[in-house]
Structure formats: C-alpha cells, structure tokens
C-alpha cells in the first residue's frame, strides 16, 4: 500500500513501504530536499504552512486607509491613549467622590463693612414719603407739605431730599456737595460698589437727591432767575422762641410748625454746586438716557444762572451764613465747569474751568492755612484733582496744557502736604491730621482728604506712574494710600480712645449722637415742640441707633465727649458722611480693582480733529 501526499514544493511525493533504500539513503535525499527549499524564496502562504499557526510572522506595518504606519508606533499610540483615558477617568472619579474642604471667600475688610453702614445714614436722613425698603425701622414719612400751597412760586412742591444733620433743615448747598461726592465715587469705583453689593443702593441714594434738586428750580427752562436755597429754619438768635427746626426737639414725622422756604437770585456758589451735582449724577445714570439728559439740561441751566447772576448765596446776613457760610464762588466755577465738561463734552466748559483769571480768584496760585482742604465750602482741591485726571489720561495739549500742568503741580503739592514728613498740618498724638487747625468737627475734612489721596494714587497707578515728587524727593503711590488708611483707621477705632466714630461700627462708638429722630423712642407718643426737650437733655443713650452716622469727631487732644447737646463732638452731617463713603469705597475690596478710567470721558469727543473724508473715486 502506498501513501500519497502533496509535495509542499509543488510535486507529488511517493513513499513506498517496500522501498529497499537504506536510512542513510533517505537522509541524503531529505538533505537534498532541504537544500532545494533554501534555494527558492517562499511566498506568504507557504511560510504560513511551514511555520504553523503558532509561529505566524507578524506584519511590520498597519494600513489605516489614508496612511500606513509602523505597527509598533500604532500599538504604542493606542496603548498610551487607552491608559491616559483610564487614568483621567480614575482621577476624575476620585476628585468627585472624595470629600473636599471648600475655601470660603475671605471675610470683608473693615472698609467694606463700614461702607455698608455709612450708606445707611442717608436712609435715615430722607425727607418726604419714604420708599418701602428704606430699612430704618424708626423712620417714617415726614414734611409732606414742604413748599406746597405757595401761589405764584416757580416750584410746585419741595417734598423729598435730605435733612442736613441732626435737625430737619434741608440746606441745598452742603446737600448738593454730598451728592457730587457720592456721584464722583460711583463713577471712579463702580466695580467696587458692585463687588460690595451696594451699587444699586448708592445710585438710589443719589437719585433721591437729584430728584429733589430738580424741584428746586424750573428745570425745564433754559434760563432761570431764582433758586431754592433752603427749606426749614434754625434761627434762634436773640432768644427767639418761634417754633422751628432748632428750637423744637421733635421727630421729623411729628413736625407741625411752618417750614419757610428760602430762595435766592444771586447765588453763584449754590447754582454752580448744584450744577456740579446734576452733571456728575448724569454720568452715573448714563444708561438711563432720558433721565441723564434731564440732569444735563438742569445742570446747564443752573450753571448759566450762576454765571449770569453773580453773588454768594449766604451774603446779606442770611440764615445760611450762620450754619453754612460760603466764602467765595470762584472755586465752584472751576468745579462746576469741569463736571459739565465731562457730562457734555462741550469744550466751552473746559475753557471756562481752565481760565487763569478764574483759577487765580479761586486761590489756585497761593497757599494760605486752608489751602488743599476739600470741603462743602471750598472745592478747589477737588477740582484740581479732577482736572489733573484729564491731563494724565487724555493730555489735551494746547490751549489747555499750561493751566492743566499748573493744576497738576498744585495737586502734587497738596498731596505732599498730607504726608507726615511735612508740617503743613499738625497731627494729634493719636495721628489724626488737623486739616481745620484744631477747630471743631474735624472728621469731615479728614475723610475728604483720604478720598483725594487714595483716588490720586489710583490715578497715578492707572497712568503707569509709580509716584510723584515733593521737591527733590520721590514718593511712591503707596505712601498716599498709607496716609489715607491711617486716617480712616483712626476713625474706625485705631485711636487713643479705642472707639469708632461711626455709629454701629465696632463695639465702642458714640451712643448720644446729636440727632432728633434717633433720640426719641418710637412709642406712639407725639411729643410737641418742647415736649421732646427731655429726650434731648437726658443722659441716657439714644433709643434708636443711627447706623453709619459719622460723629463730628474728637478735639485736637484726641478727646471726645459723648454728649448729645455738644454737637461739635456728636453731630453727623450729610457732607461728612458723603466724604466718608467715598473714602471707604476707594480703600475697600480687592487692591487690584482700580479706577474706571473711561466712563467719566464717555461724552468727551476725541482730542484731535477727525481726518477729512477720502476723496471720491476717480472717474474717467
């Protein structure tokens, strides 16, 4: 029997069982076959038969359709991707499942905490019909008949606005300065207000004031001849017993005596200050175009009035001279002109604000003991900082450069005078700068200076300027900021008495502030004019907390008498609190959040002439 197999090299192979060949012959034949196999190349099929399934040769390349890659690289790449995906998923699983300790935001700084309270003071000072969410439980609607029923007058009613201090008089001069300062702080530090959650609140405070101002003159006219200066009376001279806002001690809600309206026809200082307030506020409300334009129109009308009908509002022995006497009106011309230029972009206002003669009359080129002290009476220092801003960021050049450079230099001198190394102003042993040279009620001047110093340092930093020169010596912007901090820290409690001068801030603060509404309990009993005197004269603390009110301040020896009847220590004011709010917001929050460089310039046209239009296309 024979077996036939297929020769893997192509021919038949016959193995005969009866073959007589020896083993040696067969071995030689096989070796001949091996040599034949080695002499011919094998195709892939033949190799697969020879090697068998366990020894199949692997391909060196992988065909991916569009490209052919090395098998080794392909395997490594796929493997790496798979491992990476696995690790990423595993890490994500761990991160999501393992409990974590969340890092809470850092607590608000003292300046932010005090800012919340300082703004509340304005809620307590509101006159008229209060909004639903006024958040001062012991206040209610008051003086709803102000300015009503007087036939032939240029106003319909004078309801609204703010009471000036502890009494119930509405003095338009310091009130308009307060609104200007608040508006300025919002324009520069809108983001900080927003971060503190107070932007809506402060804008509502400003609008409460501007809505009232629009009632105090014919705000729809282009030209006016008369302006309201004051509502209410506080004259007690000569032992007068006529019921009024100083003789009586009553809640504003209970007032039943007549409140006279004082008007003026020659009051340049008041008209220009009110114009500044409306112009600054128009930038705050620029998103509300209709209201902003209404404010701008009113500001233009007031400024025109102030320029045409010259005079001081407190001249001629008026009652205002006793409480808020105005010394000059030239500083208000520079101040109001600067604000109207920013609000309108009309260069005629800038020309007026930079007129050397007006600046000279305002005292821009001479010193004096009160030079550089910003207050409700003297706005020169503020106006110079405001116009230095224009030079720093827009540099308008001719014809304004010379006077703007002078203002800028004067601002540098004022900032130098705030530093402890100079002796322009004394300091108490506790470190409080005596900007009013030891006279009563110092804090209102201190907070304004702290605001200007912080603001100017932020201007310099925004202009990539590390500091400024005082004579031959160079000082960094941090020095200015440190000055502002030391002064505000003193007010917040870092002083020899370890007491805060802001009601409701800290554990130790004035408990007997000079304020009618705060001193009379809310007990449903109506006290008449003299009936409230017992609350004025008692040594007991005020039953109502006047949150955020800044007291008038300590004396030049760091002493303070927390006595209700001593208003030189304990009475808060609108103007004082406005400066406090401005200084607090400037110092508050994230150090990297600086000023808003551009919003104030939103109405200012480009400083260079626009290029002419291109010529018409050439036609053959």
């Amino acid at each position: 029997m024979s077996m036939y197999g297929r020769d893997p090299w192509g021919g038949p192979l016959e193995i005969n069982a009866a073959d007589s060949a020896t083993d040696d012959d067969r071995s030689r034949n096989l070796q001949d076959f091996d040599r034949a196999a080695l002499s011919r190349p094998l195709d892939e099929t033949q190799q697969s038969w020879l090697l068998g399934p366990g020894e199949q040769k692997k391909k060196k390349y992988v065909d991916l359709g569009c490209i052919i890659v090395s098998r080794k690289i392909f395997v490594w790449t796929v493997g790496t991707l798979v491992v990476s995906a696995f690790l990423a998923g595993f890490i994500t699983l761990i991160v999501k499942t393992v409990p974590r300790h969340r890092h809470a935001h850092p607590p608000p700084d003292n300046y932010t905490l005090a800012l919340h309270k300082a703004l509340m003071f304005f809620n307590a000072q509101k006159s008229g019909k209060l909004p639903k969410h006024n958040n001062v439980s012991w206040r209610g609607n008051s003086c709803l008949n102000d300015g009503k029923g007087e036939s032939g007058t240029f106003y319909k009613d004078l309801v609204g606005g703010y009471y000036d201090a502890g009494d119930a008089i509405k003095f338009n001069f310091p009130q308009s300065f307060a609104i200007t300062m608040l508006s300025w702080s919002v324009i520069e530090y809108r983001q900080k207000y927003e971060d503190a959650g107070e932007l809506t609140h402060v804008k509502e405070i400003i609008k409460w004031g501007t809505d009232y101002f629009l009632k105090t003159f014919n705000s729809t006219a282009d030209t006016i001849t008369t302006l309201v200066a004051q509502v209410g009376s506080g004259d007690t001279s000569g032992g007068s017993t006529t019921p009024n806002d100083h003789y009586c001690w009553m809640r504003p809600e209970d007032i039943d005596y007549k409140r006279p309206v004082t008007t003026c026809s020659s009051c340049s200082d008041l008209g220009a200050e009110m114009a500044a307030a409306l112009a600054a506020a128009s930038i705050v409300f620029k998103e509300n175009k209709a209201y902003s334009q209404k404010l701008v129109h009113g500001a233009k009308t007031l400024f025109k009035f102030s320029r045409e009908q010259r005079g001081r509002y407190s001249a001629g022995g008026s009652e205002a001279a006793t409480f808020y006497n105005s010394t000059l009106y030239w500083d208000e011309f520079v101040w109001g002109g600067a604000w109207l230029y920013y609000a309108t972009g009309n260069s005629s206002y800038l020309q007026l604000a930079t007129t050397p003669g007006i600046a000279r009359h305002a005292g821009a080129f001479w010193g004096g003991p009160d030079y550089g002290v910003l207050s409700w009476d003297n706005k020169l220092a503020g106006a110079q900082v405001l116009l230095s801003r224009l030079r720093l960021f827009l540099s308008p050049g001719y014809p304004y450069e010379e006077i703007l450079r002078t203002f800028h230099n004067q601002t540098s001198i004022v900032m130098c005078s705030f530093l402890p190394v100079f002796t322009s102003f004394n300091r108490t042993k506790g470190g409080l700068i005596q900007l009013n040279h030891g006279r009563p009620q110092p804090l209102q001047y201190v907070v304004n200076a702290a605001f200007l110093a912080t603001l100017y340092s932020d201007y310099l930093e925004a202009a990539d300027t590390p500091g400024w020169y005082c004579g031959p010596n160079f000082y960094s912007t941090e020095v200015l900021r440190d000055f502002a901090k030391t002064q505000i820290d003193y007010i917040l409690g870092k002083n020899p008495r370890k007491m805060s001068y802001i009601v409701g801030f800290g554990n130790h603060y004035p408990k007997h502030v000079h304020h009618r509404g705060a001193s009379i309990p809310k007990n449903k009993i109506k006290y008449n004019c003299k009936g409230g005197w017992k609350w004025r004269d008692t040594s007991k603390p005020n039953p109502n907390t006047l949150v955020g009110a800044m007291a008038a301040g300590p004396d030049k020896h760091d002493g303070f008498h927390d006595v209700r009847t001593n208003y030189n220590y304990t009475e808060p004011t609108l103007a004082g609190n406005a400066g406090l709010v401005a200084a607090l917001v400037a110092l508050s929050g994230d150090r990297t959040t600086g000023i808003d460089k551009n919003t104030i310039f939103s109405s200012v046209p480009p400083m260079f002439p626009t290029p002419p239009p291109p010529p018409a296309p050439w036609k053959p």
Side-chain angles (χ1 to χ4, degrees), residues 442-573:
L443 295 188
Q444 59 180 314
Y445 310 102
V446 173
V447 292
N448 289 341
F451 171 63
L452 290 186
T454 309
L455 181 61
Y456 188 63
S457 73
D458 283 344
Y459 283 174
L460 292 178
E461 289 191 6
D464 293 324
T465 305
W468 85 111
Y469 280 95
C470 295
N473 299 317
F474 185 82
Y475 293 92
S476 75
T477 56
E478 281 302 316
V479 175
L480 272 183
R481 202 173 187 86
D482 288 342
F483 157 74
K485 283 182 176 180
T486 58
Q487 299 306 303
I488 299 300
D489 288 348
Y490 181 104
I491 295 170
L492 296 183
K494 199 173 182 180
N495 54 61
R497 297 182 66 87
K498 301 287 188 272
M499 76 175 294
S500 159
Y501 288 102
I502 299 176
V503 176
F505 184 85
N507 298 320
H508 183 31
Y509 54 82
K511 302 294 197 301
H512 304 79
V513 287
H514 182 93
H515 193 274
R516 287 157 175 71
S519 68
I520 301 175
K522 188 176 181 180
N523 55 10
K524 298 184 179 179
I525 300 174
K526 181 176 179 178
Y527 298 96
N528 61 23
C529 177
K530 294 182 180 180
W533 285 7
K534 67 177 182 178
W535 299 111
R536 178 192 66 190
D537 300 332
T538 182
S539 60
K540 293 180 179 179
N542 288 344
N544 305 312
T545 303
L546 186 61
V547 174
M550 182 179 73
D555 57 33
K556 59 185 177 181
H557 304 294
D558 297 306
F560 183 78
H561 300 293
D562 191 6
V563 178
R564 191 175 296 107
T565 52
N566 196 334
Y567 56 84
N568 278 333
Y569 288 102
T570 59
E571 187 169 27
T573 64

Side-chain angles (χ1 to χ4, degrees), residues 11 110 112 121 193 204 219 229 254 280 402 409 522 542 568 619:
N110 278 346
T112 303
F121 172 73
Y193 274 113
E204 187 270 330
S219 60
D254 295 337
E402 186 175 352
N409 291 338
K522 188 176 181 180
N542 288 344
N568 278 333
K619 292 182 180 180

Side-chain angles (χ1 to χ4, degrees), residues 35 46 51 73 82 101 189 218 340-341 370 469 515 544 578:
R35 281 194 297 271
Q46 292 168 336
L51 296 173
I73 294 174
V82 171
H101 296 288
Y189 297 109
N218 186 353
L340 270 161
Y341 173 64
D370 296 323
Y469 280 95
H515 193 274
N544 305 312

Side-chain angles (χ1 to χ4, degrees), residues 296-320:
V296 168
H297 183 270
K300 289 178 178 178
T301 300
L302 286 166
F303 199 69
K304 181 182 178 184
F305 163 80
S306 74
R307 294 283 296 153
E308 291 177 348
Q309 298 185 223
R310 301 289 179 88
R312 291 186 303 117
Y313 93 107
S314 57
S318 69
E319 185 179 298

Side-chain angles (χ1 to χ4, degrees), residues 129-428:
K129 185 173 179 164
L130 300 183
K132 291 181 180 179
H133 304 292
N134 198 50
N135 295 330
V136 182
S137 61
W138 46 273
R139 280 302 323 278
N141 300 335
S142 60
C143 297
L144 299 180
N145 293 315
D146 280 356
K148 290 184 178 179
E150 299 184 25
S151 60
T153 58
F154 57 89
Y155 51 84
K156 294 179 180 179
D157 74 77
L158 298 171
V159 177
Y162 291 96
Y163 301 126
D164 174 65
D167 51 40
I169 304 175
K170 294 188 286 196
F171 290 108
N172 280 15
F173 193 49
Q175 184 177 168
S176 51
F177 173 71
I179 296 301
T180 310
M181 288 293 285
L182 290 176
S183 296
W184 192 6
S185 72
V186 172
I187 292 166
E188 302 285 11
Y189 297 109
R190 177 181 292 259
Q191 187 59 52
K192 287 193 173 187
Y193 274 113
E194 197 163 337
D195 292 344
E198 291 286 2
L199 181 59
T200 300
H201 185 197
V202 71
K203 287 175 71 174
E204 187 270 330
I205 288 170
I206 292 168
K207 191 172 186 297
W208 191 267
T210 53
D211 283 350
Y212 167 72
F213 291 147
L214 292 171
K215 293 182 174 185
T216 61
F217 67 103
N218 186 353
S219 60
T220 60
D222 294 328
T223 303
I224 59 172
T225 57
T226 315
L227 183 65
V228 171
Q230 178 180 328
V231 178
S233 173
D235 184 13
T236 57
S237 60
S240 172
T241 58
T242 303
N244 67 21
D245 294 295
H246 278 176
Y247 181 76
C248 301
W249 194 267
M250 305 172 70
R251 302 185 192 95
E253 293 80 3
D254 295 337
I255 288 174
D256 53 6
Y257 49 79
K258 184 173 176 58
R259 285 165 57 80
V261 175
T262 305
T263 61
C264 63
S265 297
S266 298
C267 39
S268 299
D269 36 20
L270 176 59
E273 181 55 65
M274 289 180 65
L278 296 187
S282 75
I283 302 172
V284 172
F285 294 105
K286 66 184 181 68
E287 293 92 351
N288 184 345
K289 288 187 178 179
Y291 189 66
S292 182
Q293 289 170 0
K294 190 175 184 180
L295 294 175
V296 168
H297 183 270
K300 289 178 178 178
T301 300
L302 286 166
F303 199 69
K304 181 182 178 184
F305 163 80
S306 74
R307 294 283 296 153
E308 291 177 348
Q309 298 185 223
R310 301 289 179 88
R312 291 186 303 117
Y313 93 107
S314 57
S318 69
E319 185 179 298
T322 307
F323 306 109
Y324 287 102
N325 184 48
S326 174
T327 52
L328 295 167
Y329 51 72
W330 302 100
D331 55 308
E332 279 85 14
F333 283 165
V334 182
W335 178 245
W339 277 115
L340 270 161
Y341 173 64
Y342 287 137
T344 65
N346 187 331
S347 60
S348 66
Y349 293 115
L350 181 59
Q351 290 168 6
L352 187 146
T354 55
T355 300
I358 293 177
R360 185 173 62 254
H361 285 306
F365 310 129
W366 53 274
D370 296 323
Y371 186 76
V373 181
L374 175 62
S375 71
W376 51 264
D377 180 30
N378 191 348
K379 288 88 182 184
L380 178 62
Q384 288 175 327
V385 171
L386 194 60
L387 289 168
S388 296
R389 187 193 211 285
L390 181 66
R391 184 171 188 255
L392 280 168
F393 299 121
L394 291 189
S395 188
Y398 181 84
Y400 311 109
E401 170 58 21
E402 186 175 352
I403 188 69
L404 288 179
R405 184 174 68 248
T406 301
F407 285 153
H408 195 171
N409 291 338
Q410 293 299 310
T411 294
S412 295
I413 292 170
V414 169
M415 297 300 156
C416 297
S417 74
F418 293 157
L419 304 184
V421 295
F422 298 95
T423 57
S424 304
F425 302 101
N426 292 328
R427 279 170 165 75
T428 67

